[in-house]
Amino acid sequence: MAGSDALTRVVIADAGPLIALSRADQLSLLRGLFGQVEITDQIRTEVLESGAFPGQVAIDEALREGWLRCHTIELTAWRPLCPGVDAGEASALLLAMQHLAPLLIMDDRAGRAEARARGLSVMGVAAVVGLAKQQGLISAAAPVLARMRANGYFIGHDVIAAVLARIGESAVPTPPGP
């Protein structure tokens, strides 16, 4: 676990990070770092009912095991401060707003802007991988981040370089562009 506040802090994951980690066969990093992770019905639908992808079974198993817990969130009262927040992100934000000092794991730009505008803590999936390296859950972050990118998840080179520099790993070489 990532420190004593991980025992009490509510951690809420958006769909993108769940998909990226599960497709890289690293969903268990969330459990190792945070113990319990919360999602909403909207996010569950997005990851389990919006088309099959490699790693989807791991998310379903995590829900059955109970360390990934699902909550019903009503979106009728949702009033975004920032444009472009989808239903999954909105539901995660609303769930976060019900808790004291929650941590949102979210990569979407609009969702992150909304979280910051509401004073919520947010961490991207690349930082989760970096934290997993620091906590000794993986031996190196660069290969995991490279696998996530190879599986189609966009993480900017600058983000990867910053995370790797922070944890003392060398950057993954930039592949040649199209």
Side-chain angles (χ1 to χ4, degrees):
M1 299 278 267
S4 60
D5 74 304
L7 296 173
T8 57
R9 188 174 217 185
V10 172
V11 177
I12 301 159
D14 190 26
L18 291 173
I19 292 169
L21 288 166
S22 67
R23 288 182 71 172
D25 199 26
Q26 297 294 325
L27 186 65
S28 63
L29 295 181
L30 291 174
R31 185 179 195 178
L33 289 169
F34 307 112
Q36 187 83 36
V37 177
E38 314 298 324
I39 64 171
T40 65
D41 286 335
Q42 292 85 348
I43 293 166
R44 184 197 160 285
T45 297
E46 190 175 337
V47 298
L48 294 180
E49 299 175 17
S50 299
F53 60 88
Q56 194 173 45
V57 170
I59 296 171
D60 192 44
E61 286 174 3
L63 285 162
R64 283 196 314 270
E65 291 170 1
W67 68 265
L68 188 61
R69 294 188 342 170
C70 193
H71 301 269
T72 300
I73 297 294
E74 181 58 51
L75 292 178
T76 55
W78 173 249
R79 299 294 176 260
L81 301 174
C82 304
V85 175
D86 72 19
E89 294 148 8
S91 68
L93 289 156
L94 282 169
L95 180 58
M97 291 166 27
Q98 296 175 11
H99 297 280
L100 182 63
L103 173 63
L104 280 164
I105 299 172
M106 184 176 288
D107 284 330
D108 180 81
R109 183 173 294 177
R112 289 172 68 93
E114 185 79 26
R116 283 190 297 276
R118 293 178 183 272
L120 299 169
S121 296
V122 65
M123 174 184 277
V125 73
V128 168
V129 173
L131 183 59
K133 164 64 163 59
Q134 290 177 313
Q135 296 293 317
L137 298 177
I138 54 176
S139 59
V144 174
L145 294 169
R147 196 169 339 140
M148 291 163 90
R149 285 181 57 102
N151 288 333
Y153 196 74
F154 177 77
I155 303 172
H157 292 290
D158 292 345
V159 171
I160 291 174
V163 167
L164 294 178
R166 189 169 58 242
I167 63 172
E169 278 189 44
S170 54
V172 176
T174 304

